Amino acid sequence: MPSARPARRPARRQNSSRTLLLIALFKLVKGLLLVAIGIGAFRLLHRDVADTVMRWVDILRVDPDNRFIHAALTRVLSISPKQLKVTSAGTFIYAALLLTEGTGLLLRKRWAEYFTIITTGGLVPLEVYELSRHVTAVKIVVLALNVAIVVYLVVRVRQKV
């Protein structure tokens, strides 16, 4: 007589599923954030960037004379409409890539694992280059996460073959 209890999944497989789910959610969150940034950049195209930025400085009650804020304002205010358009388009393209990866991984599609290995691994040298130009904690964390994702997925794919 068969047992009424459902069969338990092995712990290793369950951990693997959780890890894949976390990677998928990480990719989806990054993609959604980039969509928001792209929309924000696109909306700035037909506005006076200086007025918009200064309005946000006032709303957020940020000290424009702070050296970090001042440096950021100087960079933002020097962006041309063409640069803004290119940045917005690039942001949407990268967001589409991340959302495709995240959705495929969430649906546990094998092609998404290969796709994520290729795209994430392909961007690691660019991240290393950016890190060599200016070291920040955020860049180090993002690089470490992306390398960990690639290593994990390579091991996972090789185990399935």
PDB file of all heavy atoms in Angstrom, residues 45-72:
ATOM      1  N   LEU A  45      14.712  63.887 -21.468  1.00  0.00           N
ATOM      2  CA  LEU A  45      15.088  64.334 -22.810  1.00  0.00           C
ATOM      3  C   LEU A  45      14.456  65.664 -23.211  1.00  0.00           C
ATOM      4  O   LEU A  45      15.096  66.486 -23.833  1.00  0.00           O
ATOM      5  CB  LEU A  45      14.705  63.273 -23.844  1.00  0.00           C
ATOM      6  CG  LEU A  45      15.725  62.185 -24.071  1.00  0.00           C
ATOM      7  CD1 LEU A  45      15.183  61.139 -25.026  1.00  0.00           C
ATOM      8  CD2 LEU A  45      17.017  62.747 -24.598  1.00  0.00           C
ATOM      9  N   HIS A  46      13.204  65.853 -22.876  1.00  0.00           N
ATOM     10  CA  HIS A  46      12.500  67.046 -23.342  1.00  0.00           C
ATOM     11  C   HIS A  46      12.277  68.062 -22.230  1.00  0.00           C
ATOM     12  O   HIS A  46      11.344  68.848 -22.276  1.00  0.00           O
ATOM     13  CB  HIS A  46      11.163  66.638 -23.969  1.00  0.00           C
ATOM     14  CG  HIS A  46      11.335  65.652 -25.074  1.00  0.00           C
ATOM     15  ND1 HIS A  46      11.939  65.968 -26.267  1.00  0.00           N
ATOM     16  CD2 HIS A  46      11.031  64.339 -25.150  1.00  0.00           C
ATOM     17  CE1 HIS A  46      11.982  64.898 -27.034  1.00  0.00           C
ATOM     18  NE2 HIS A  46      11.441  63.890 -26.383  1.00  0.00           N
ATOM     19  N   ARG A  47      13.147  68.022 -21.245  1.00  0.00           N
ATOM     20  CA  ARG A  47      13.061  68.960 -20.127  1.00  0.00           C
ATOM     21  C   ARG A  47      14.398  69.630 -19.918  1.00  0.00           C
ATOM     22  O   ARG A  47      15.423  69.159 -20.389  1.00  0.00           O
ATOM     23  CB  ARG A  47      12.669  68.226 -18.849  1.00  0.00           C
ATOM     24  CG  ARG A  47      11.284  67.655 -18.897  1.00  0.00           C
ATOM     25  CD  ARG A  47      10.898  67.132 -17.556  1.00  0.00           C
ATOM     26  NE  ARG A  47       9.545  66.609 -17.626  1.00  0.00           N
ATOM     27  CZ  ARG A  47       9.017  65.874 -16.695  1.00  0.00           C
ATOM     28  NH1 ARG A  47       9.714  65.578 -15.625  1.00  0.00           N
ATOM     29  NH2 ARG A  47       7.795  65.440 -16.813  1.00  0.00           N
ATOM     30  N   ASP A  48      14.350  70.679 -19.144  1.00  0.00           N
ATOM     31  CA  ASP A  48      15.580  71.343 -18.750  1.00  0.00           C
ATOM     32  C   ASP A  48      16.180  70.515 -17.609  1.00  0.00           C
ATOM     33  O   ASP A  48      15.632  70.469 -16.500  1.00  0.00           O
ATOM     34  CB  ASP A  48      15.280  72.771 -18.301  1.00  0.00           C
ATOM     35  CG  ASP A  48      16.547  73.536 -17.952  1.00  0.00           C
ATOM     36  OD1 ASP A  48      17.659  73.018 -18.208  1.00  0.00           O
ATOM     37  OD2 ASP A  48      16.424  74.646 -17.408  1.00  0.00           O
ATOM     38  N   VAL A  49      17.282  69.850 -17.905  1.00  0.00           N
ATOM     39  CA  VAL A  49      17.898  68.937 -16.946  1.00  0.00           C
ATOM     40  C   VAL A  49      18.311  69.688 -15.680  1.00  0.00           C
ATOM     41  O   VAL A  49      18.107  69.201 -14.563  1.00  0.00           O
ATOM     42  CB  VAL A  49      19.108  68.205 -17.574  1.00  0.00           C
ATOM     43  CG1 VAL A  49      19.809  67.333 -16.561  1.00  0.00           C
ATOM     44  CG2 VAL A  49      18.666  67.380 -18.768  1.00  0.00           C
ATOM     45  N   ALA A  50      18.841  70.870 -15.836  1.00  0.00           N
ATOM     46  CA  ALA A  50      19.310  71.645 -14.672  1.00  0.00           C
ATOM     47  C   ALA A  50      18.151  71.943 -13.726  1.00  0.00           C
ATOM     48  O   ALA A  50      18.277  71.770 -12.506  1.00  0.00           O
ATOM     49  CB  ALA A  50      19.973  72.928 -15.136  1.00  0.00           C
ATOM     50  N   ASP A  51      17.014  72.408 -14.278  1.00  0.00           N
ATOM     51  CA  ASP A  51      15.854  72.704 -13.430  1.00  0.00           C
ATOM     52  C   ASP A  51      15.344  71.455 -12.728  1.00  0.00           C
ATOM     53  O   ASP A  51      15.029  71.483 -11.538  1.00  0.00           O
ATOM     54  CB  ASP A  51      14.713  73.305 -14.261  1.00  0.00           C
ATOM     55  CG  ASP A  51      14.955  74.759 -14.617  1.00  0.00           C
ATOM     56  OD1 ASP A  51      15.850  75.375 -13.993  1.00  0.00           O
ATOM     57  OD2 ASP A  51      14.258  75.270 -15.511  1.00  0.00           O
ATOM     58  N   THR A  52      15.267  70.345 -13.456  1.00  0.00           N
ATOM     59  CA  THR A  52      14.773  69.094 -12.883  1.00  0.00           C
ATOM     60  C   THR A  52      15.682  68.612 -11.763  1.00  0.00           C
ATOM     61  O   THR A  52      15.211  68.232 -10.685  1.00  0.00           O
ATOM     62  CB  THR A  52      14.656  68.009 -13.974  1.00  0.00           C
ATOM     63  OG1 THR A  52      13.824  68.500 -15.028  1.00  0.00           O
ATOM     64  CG2 THR A  52      14.072  66.731 -13.424  1.00  0.00           C
ATOM     65  N   VAL A  53      16.980  68.631 -12.011  1.00  0.00           N
ATOM     66  CA  VAL A  53      17.934  68.169 -11.002  1.00  0.00           C
ATOM     67  C   VAL A  53      17.892  69.072  -9.769  1.00  0.00           C
ATOM     68  O   VAL A  53      17.880  68.588  -8.630  1.00  0.00           O
ATOM     69  CB  VAL A  53      19.359  68.087 -11.590  1.00  0.00           C
ATOM     70  CG1 VAL A  53      20.394  67.870 -10.512  1.00  0.00           C
ATOM     71  CG2 VAL A  53      19.440  66.988 -12.630  1.00  0.00           C
ATOM     72  N   MET A  54      17.855  70.368  -9.970  1.00  0.00           N
ATOM     73  CA  MET A  54      17.826  71.289  -8.832  1.00  0.00           C
ATOM     74  C   MET A  54      16.520  71.148  -8.051  1.00  0.00           C
ATOM     75  O   MET A  54      16.510  71.271  -6.818  1.00  0.00           O
ATOM     76  CB  MET A  54      18.026  72.736  -9.300  1.00  0.00           C
ATOM     77  CG  MET A  54      19.442  72.996  -9.824  1.00  0.00           C
ATOM     78  SD  MET A  54      20.772  72.358  -8.769  1.00  0.00           S
ATOM     79  CE  MET A  54      20.634  73.430  -7.365  1.00  0.00           C
ATOM     80  N   ARG A  55      15.409  70.857  -8.729  1.00  0.00           N
ATOM     81  CA  ARG A  55      14.144  70.618  -8.037  1.00  0.00           C
ATOM     82  C   ARG A  55      14.270  69.389  -7.131  1.00  0.00           C
ATOM     83  O   ARG A  55      13.832  69.406  -5.985  1.00  0.00           O
ATOM     84  CB  ARG A  55      13.002  70.453  -9.040  1.00  0.00           C
ATOM     85  CG  ARG A  55      11.634  70.471  -8.354  1.00  0.00           C
ATOM     86  CD  ARG A  55      10.482  70.360  -9.312  1.00  0.00           C
ATOM     87  NE  ARG A  55      10.316  68.946  -9.617  1.00  0.00           N
ATOM     88  CZ  ARG A  55      10.176  68.444 -10.822  1.00  0.00           C
ATOM     89  NH1 ARG A  55      10.178  69.230 -11.870  1.00  0.00           N
ATOM     90  NH2 ARG A  55      10.030  67.153 -11.004  1.00  0.00           N
ATOM     91  N   TRP A  56      14.907  68.315  -7.641  1.00  0.00           N
ATOM     92  CA  TRP A  56      15.095  67.102  -6.838  1.00  0.00           C
ATOM     93  C   TRP A  56      16.054  67.353  -5.674  1.00  0.00           C
ATOM     94  O   TRP A  56      15.880  66.789  -4.589  1.00  0.00           O
ATOM     95  CB  TRP A  56      15.583  65.937  -7.706  1.00  0.00           C
ATOM     96  CG  TRP A  56      14.433  65.269  -8.375  1.00  0.00           C
ATOM     97  CD1 TRP A  56      14.045  65.393  -9.677  1.00  0.00           C
ATOM     98  CD2 TRP A  56      13.491  64.391  -7.760  1.00  0.00           C
ATOM     99  NE1 TRP A  56      12.927  64.651  -9.907  1.00  0.00           N
ATOM    100  CE2 TRP A  56      12.557  64.021  -8.753  1.00  0.00           C
ATOM    101  CE3 TRP A  56      13.324  63.897  -6.471  1.00  0.00           C
ATOM    102  CZ2 TRP A  56      11.495  63.165  -8.485  1.00  0.00           C
ATOM    103  CZ3 TRP A  56      12.270  63.044  -6.211  1.00  0.00           C
ATOM    104  CH2 TRP A  56      11.369  62.689  -7.206  1.00  0.00           C
ATOM    105  N   VAL A  57      17.043  68.199  -5.882  1.00  0.00           N
ATOM    106  CA  VAL A  57      17.959  68.554  -4.784  1.00  0.00           C
ATOM    107  C   VAL A  57      17.172  69.250  -3.676  1.00  0.00           C
ATOM    108  O   VAL A  57      17.358  68.958  -2.491  1.00  0.00           O
ATOM    109  CB  VAL A  57      19.112  69.438  -5.297  1.00  0.00           C
ATOM    110  CG1 VAL A  57      19.860  70.107  -4.158  1.00  0.00           C
ATOM    111  CG2 VAL A  57      20.065  68.615  -6.150  1.00  0.00           C
ATOM    112  N   ASP A  58      16.250  70.130  -4.070  1.00  0.00           N
ATOM    113  CA  ASP A  58      15.415  70.821  -3.079  1.00  0.00           C
ATOM    114  C   ASP A  58      14.449  69.861  -2.395  1.00  0.00           C
ATOM    115  O   ASP A  58      14.265  69.918  -1.178  1.00  0.00           O
ATOM    116  CB  ASP A  58      14.626  71.963  -3.732  1.00  0.00           C
ATOM    117  CG  ASP A  58      15.515  73.127  -4.128  1.00  0.00           C
ATOM    118  OD1 ASP A  58      16.631  73.246  -3.569  1.00  0.00           O
ATOM    119  OD2 ASP A  58      15.104  73.914  -4.998  1.00  0.00           O
ATOM    120  N   ILE A  59      13.815  68.980  -3.167  1.00  0.00           N
ATOM    121  CA  ILE A  59      12.848  68.030  -2.600  1.00  0.00           C
ATOM    122  C   ILE A  59      13.527  67.115  -1.595  1.00  0.00           C
ATOM    123  O   ILE A  59      12.997  66.850  -0.509  1.00  0.00           O
ATOM    124  CB  ILE A  59      12.170  67.195  -3.719  1.00  0.00           C
ATOM    125  CG1 ILE A  59      11.226  68.078  -4.527  1.00  0.00           C
ATOM    126  CG2 ILE A  59      11.431  65.993  -3.146  1.00  0.00           C
ATOM    127  CD1 ILE A  59      10.688  67.408  -5.783  1.00  0.00           C
ATOM    128  N   LEU A  60      14.707  66.614  -1.955  1.00  0.00           N
ATOM    129  CA  LEU A  60      15.433  65.695  -1.078  1.00  0.00           C
ATOM    130  C   LEU A  60      16.208  66.402   0.026  1.00  0.00           C
ATOM    131  O   LEU A  60      16.825  65.754   0.869  1.00  0.00           O
ATOM    132  CB  LEU A  60      16.380  64.823  -1.910  1.00  0.00           C
ATOM    133  CG  LEU A  60      15.698  63.901  -2.928  1.00  0.00           C
ATOM    134  CD1 LEU A  60      16.735  63.221  -3.800  1.00  0.00           C
ATOM    135  CD2 LEU A  60      14.823  62.881  -2.223  1.00  0.00           C
ATOM    136  N   ARG A  61      16.194  67.730  -0.017  1.00  0.00           N
ATOM    137  CA  ARG A  61      16.894  68.551   0.967  1.00  0.00           C
ATOM    138  C   ARG A  61      18.371  68.163   1.088  1.00  0.00           C
ATOM    139  O   ARG A  61      18.906  67.947   2.171  1.00  0.00           O
ATOM    140  CB  ARG A  61      16.203  68.487   2.316  1.00  0.00           C
ATOM    141  CG  ARG A  61      14.773  68.955   2.283  1.00  0.00           C
ATOM    142  CD  ARG A  61      14.229  69.105   3.688  1.00  0.00           C
ATOM    143  NE  ARG A  61      12.793  69.284   3.736  1.00  0.00           N
ATOM    144  CZ  ARG A  61      12.129  70.372   3.391  1.00  0.00           C
ATOM    145  NH1 ARG A  61      12.782  71.404   2.928  1.00  0.00           N
ATOM    146  NH2 ARG A  61      10.830  70.439   3.497  1.00  0.00           N
ATOM    147  N   VAL A  62      19.002  68.060  -0.066  1.00  0.00           N
ATOM    148  CA  VAL A  62      20.416  67.698  -0.138  1.00  0.00           C
ATOM    149  C   VAL A  62      21.231  68.974  -0.245  1.00  0.00           C
ATOM    150  O   VAL A  62      20.835  69.923  -0.921  1.00  0.00           O
ATOM    151  CB  VAL A  62      20.669  66.793  -1.372  1.00  0.00           C
ATOM    152  CG1 VAL A  62      22.129  66.440  -1.488  1.00  0.00           C
ATOM    153  CG2 VAL A  62      19.813  65.550  -1.301  1.00  0.00           C
ATOM    154  N   ASP A  63      22.364  68.995   0.402  1.00  0.00           N
ATOM    155  CA  ASP A  63      23.247  70.158   0.361  1.00  0.00           C
ATOM    156  C   ASP A  63      24.015  70.162  -0.962  1.00  0.00           C
ATOM    157  O   ASP A  63      24.904  69.326  -1.162  1.00  0.00           O
ATOM    158  CB  ASP A  63      24.217  70.105   1.536  1.00  0.00           C
ATOM    159  CG  ASP A  63      25.199  71.269   1.533  1.00  0.00           C
ATOM    160  OD1 ASP A  63      24.943  72.269   0.832  1.00  0.00           O
ATOM    161  OD2 ASP A  63      26.215  71.172   2.249  1.00  0.00           O
ATOM    162  N   PRO A  64      23.687  71.071  -1.884  1.00  0.00           N
ATOM    163  CA  PRO A  64      24.385  71.099  -3.174  1.00  0.00           C
ATOM    164  C   PRO A  64      25.859  71.468  -3.054  1.00  0.00           C
ATOM    165  O   PRO A  64      26.632  71.261  -3.980  1.00  0.00           O
ATOM    166  CB  PRO A  64      23.619  72.140  -3.991  1.00  0.00           C
ATOM    167  CG  PRO A  64      22.858  72.943  -3.017  1.00  0.00           C
ATOM    168  CD  PRO A  64      22.670  72.108  -1.781  1.00  0.00           C
ATOM    169  N   ASP A  65      26.275  72.005  -1.908  1.00  0.00           N
ATOM    170  CA  ASP A  65      27.675  72.363  -1.712  1.00  0.00           C
ATOM    171  C   ASP A  65      28.504  71.207  -1.158  1.00  0.00           C
ATOM    172  O   ASP A  65      29.730  71.325  -1.066  1.00  0.00           O
ATOM    173  CB  ASP A  65      27.793  73.572  -0.772  1.00  0.00           C
ATOM    174  CG  ASP A  65      27.213  74.820  -1.417  1.00  0.00           C
ATOM    175  OD1 ASP A  65      27.323  74.941  -2.657  1.00  0.00           O
ATOM    176  OD2 ASP A  65      26.635  75.657  -0.701  1.00  0.00           O
ATOM    177  N   ASN A  66      27.850  70.103  -0.803  1.00  0.00           N
ATOM    178  CA  ASN A  66      28.572  68.901  -0.379  1.00  0.00           C
ATOM    179  C   ASN A  66      29.431  68.460  -1.556  1.00  0.00           C
ATOM    180  O   ASN A  66      28.980  68.447  -2.698  1.00  0.00           O
ATOM    181  CB  ASN A  66      27.556  67.819  -0.001  1.00  0.00           C
ATOM    182  CG  ASN A  66      28.208  66.510   0.370  1.00  0.00           C
ATOM    183  OD1 ASN A  66      28.899  65.902  -0.441  1.00  0.00           O
ATOM    184  ND2 ASN A  66      27.965  66.071   1.580  1.00  0.00           N
ATOM    185  N   ARG A  67      30.670  68.076  -1.294  1.00  0.00           N
ATOM    186  CA  ARG A  67      31.586  67.777  -2.409  1.00  0.00           C
ATOM    187  C   ARG A  67      31.112  66.606  -3.262  1.00  0.00           C
ATOM    188  O   ARG A  67      31.284  66.604  -4.468  1.00  0.00           O
ATOM    189  CB  ARG A  67      33.007  67.562  -1.913  1.00  0.00           C
ATOM    190  CG  ARG A  67      33.212  66.306  -1.131  1.00  0.00           C
ATOM    191  CD  ARG A  67      34.646  66.170  -0.674  1.00  0.00           C
ATOM    192  NE  ARG A  67      34.768  64.914   0.046  1.00  0.00           N
ATOM    193  CZ  ARG A  67      35.798  64.124  -0.041  1.00  0.00           C
ATOM    194  NH1 ARG A  67      36.823  64.478  -0.769  1.00  0.00           N
ATOM    195  NH2 ARG A  67      35.828  63.013   0.631  1.00  0.00           N
ATOM    196  N   PHE A  68      30.486  65.580  -2.656  1.00  0.00           N
ATOM    197  CA  PHE A  68      30.001  64.435  -3.425  1.00  0.00           C
ATOM    198  C   PHE A  68      28.789  64.832  -4.275  1.00  0.00           C
ATOM    199  O   PHE A  68      28.693  64.480  -5.453  1.00  0.00           O
ATOM    200  CB  PHE A  68      29.628  63.272  -2.497  1.00  0.00           C
ATOM    201  CG  PHE A  68      30.796  62.744  -1.718  1.00  0.00           C
ATOM    202  CD1 PHE A  68      30.848  62.897  -0.341  1.00  0.00           C
ATOM    203  CD2 PHE A  68      31.853  62.109  -2.358  1.00  0.00           C
ATOM    204  CE1 PHE A  68      31.929  62.417   0.385  1.00  0.00           C
ATOM    205  CE2 PHE A  68      32.933  61.625  -1.651  1.00  0.00           C
ATOM    206  CZ  PHE A  68      32.976  61.784  -0.270  1.00  0.00           C
ATOM    207  N   ILE A  69      27.869  65.570  -3.664  1.00  0.00           N
ATOM    208  CA  ILE A  69      26.676  66.030  -4.383  1.00  0.00           C
ATOM    209  C   ILE A  69      27.090  66.998  -5.488  1.00  0.00           C
ATOM    210  O   ILE A  69      26.581  66.928  -6.612  1.00  0.00           O
ATOM    211  CB  ILE A  69      25.673  66.704  -3.413  1.00  0.00           C
ATOM    212  CG1 ILE A  69      25.234  65.729  -2.321  1.00  0.00           C
ATOM    213  CG2 ILE A  69      24.482  67.262  -4.163  1.00  0.00           C
ATOM    214  CD1 ILE A  69      24.527  64.495  -2.821  1.00  0.00           C
ATOM    215  N   HIS A  70      28.013  67.886  -5.174  1.00  0.00           N
ATOM    216  CA  HIS A  70      28.481  68.854  -6.167  1.00  0.00           C
ATOM    217  C   HIS A  70      29.123  68.141  -7.369  1.00  0.00           C
ATOM    218  O   HIS A  70      28.863  68.502  -8.518  1.00  0.00           O
ATOM    219  CB  HIS A  70      29.469  69.841  -5.531  1.00  0.00           C
ATOM    220  CG  HIS A  70      29.914  70.915  -6.454  1.00  0.00           C
ATOM    221  ND1 HIS A  70      29.090  71.947  -6.838  1.00  0.00           N
ATOM    222  CD2 HIS A  70      31.090  71.113  -7.105  1.00  0.00           C
ATOM    223  CE1 HIS A  70      29.739  72.730  -7.678  1.00  0.00           C
ATOM    224  NE2 HIS A  70      30.964  72.249  -7.850  1.00  0.00           N
ATOM    225  N   ALA A  71      29.936  67.120  -7.097  1.00  0.00           N
ATOM    226  CA  ALA A  71      30.573  66.366  -8.184  1.00  0.00           C
ATOM    227  C   ALA A  71      29.516  65.650  -9.024  1.00  0.00           C
ATOM    228  O   ALA A  71      29.589  65.644 -10.257  1.00  0.00           O
ATOM    229  CB  ALA A  71      31.571  65.358  -7.616  1.00  0.00           C
ATOM    230  N   ALA A  72      28.516  65.061  -8.360  1.00  0.00           N
ATOM    231  CA  ALA A  72      27.444  64.374  -9.091  1.00  0.00           C
ATOM    232  C   ALA A  72      26.633  65.366  -9.924  1.00  0.00           C
ATOM    233  O   ALA A  72      26.301  65.090 -11.088  1.00  0.00           O
ATOM    234  CB  ALA A  72      26.530  63.633  -8.119  1.00  0.00           C
TER     235      ALA A  72
END
